[in-house]
Amino acid sequence: MDVAKDRRRRTPALLLVDMINLFDFPDGAAMATAARRITPALVRLRARFDRAGAPVIHVNDNFAQWRGEFRDLVASCVEAGGIPAEIATRLAPQPQHYHVLKPKHSAFASSALPVLLAKLGVRRLVITGIAADSCVLATAQDANMAEYGTWVPSDCVASRQPQRKREALSLLSRSLNARTVASNRVHGLFPR
């Protein structure tokens, strides 16, 4: 048995969905405020993955900017100031992280994510970001269909309205059998 390959399969990858964002859409201010609230928990969770040497993958809408790259999106958010700059500064991909631009709601739809996960040998995903009732939910559904084990930490996802987040977490737990406990309540996530 290949021990390194077996360890990779047990090691989860962290997906940060749509957190690098200008929030320049209807109800964007509400979404920005909710995203700001979860940022400290995301920073702590990402640090856990970094310490464990586990993959961190930033997956973000390309907002129909077909000629741009991920760093262009980060730069646009920093230039915008306010909450977009605050979040982009705290959560910008680090050199050891991966990043994938996606054209649709799910991180899997028409993106390089499935190929990257296969190359990394990952079979478990921790799905975080915004919006719990849209892109996070769509990503978790596709992950479930592809038979990935999933955890959606309740303190690391946000929606425009708290009720929509609660409904999405309930659906994820009931229908997709995803774990939805808070990130500070899960221990032993990584191999020693």
Side-chain angles (χ1 to χ4, degrees):
M1 174 189 277
D2 183 346
V3 176
K5 185 175 182 179
D6 184 55
R7 178 177 180 253
R8 283 195 314 269
R9 292 183 75 74
R10 288 192 326 259
T11 300
L14 174 63
L15 301 185
L16 289 100
V17 179
D18 291 337
M19 288 301 294
I20 308 299
N21 206 305
L22 290 168
F23 304 104
D24 57 353
F25 47 81
D27 285 340
M31 188 76 260
T33 300
R36 175 195 261 166
R37 276 192 218 109
I38 66 168
T39 298
L42 283 172
V43 168
R44 288 189 299 273
L45 184 60
R46 187 174 81 169
R48 283 173 62 186
F49 273 75
D50 287 341
R51 284 191 302 274
V56 172
I57 307 168
H58 296 261
V59 184
N60 230 98
D61 279 341
N62 71 355
F63 302 104
Q65 300 300 314
W66 300 106
R67 292 189 176 123
E69 295 183 22
F70 207 96
R71 68 176 168 258
D72 299 328
L73 178 58
V74 173
S76 294
C77 290
V78 171
E79 274 181 33
I83 295 175
E86 179 184 331
I87 293 172
T89 300
R90 293 188 73 191
L91 288 177
Q94 300 301 305
Q96 72 274 22
H97 297 160
Y98 300 92
H99 47 84
V100 174
L101 289 172
K102 65 183 181 69
K104 289 292 188 181
H105 296 82
S106 171
F108 287 88
S110 301
S111 83
L113 182 63
V115 175
L116 175 59
L117 293 173
K119 291 290 185 186
L120 294 172
V122 169
R123 293 304 309 157
R124 295 189 306 149
L125 300 175
V126 179
I127 304 170
T128 66
I130 61 172
D133 57 315
S134 181
C135 296
V136 170
L137 180 61
T139 298
Q141 288 172 321
D142 282 352
N144 180 266
M145 285 188 284
E147 299 182 359
Y148 285 91
T150 56
W151 171 37
V152 181
S154 59
D155 60 331
C156 293
V157 294
S159 292
R160 290 178 178 101
Q161 300 164 351
Q163 178 63 25
R164 291 172 81 164
K165 174 181 169 176
R166 285 190 298 273
E167 290 168 356
L169 288 170
S170 176
L171 181 62
L172 286 162
S173 177
R174 285 189 340 262
S175 298
L176 302 181
N177 202 29
R179 295 173 69 186
T180 59
V181 297
S183 63
N184 62 356
R185 296 184 58 200
V186 173
H187 305 285
L189 186 62
F190 307 108
R192 294 182 194 265

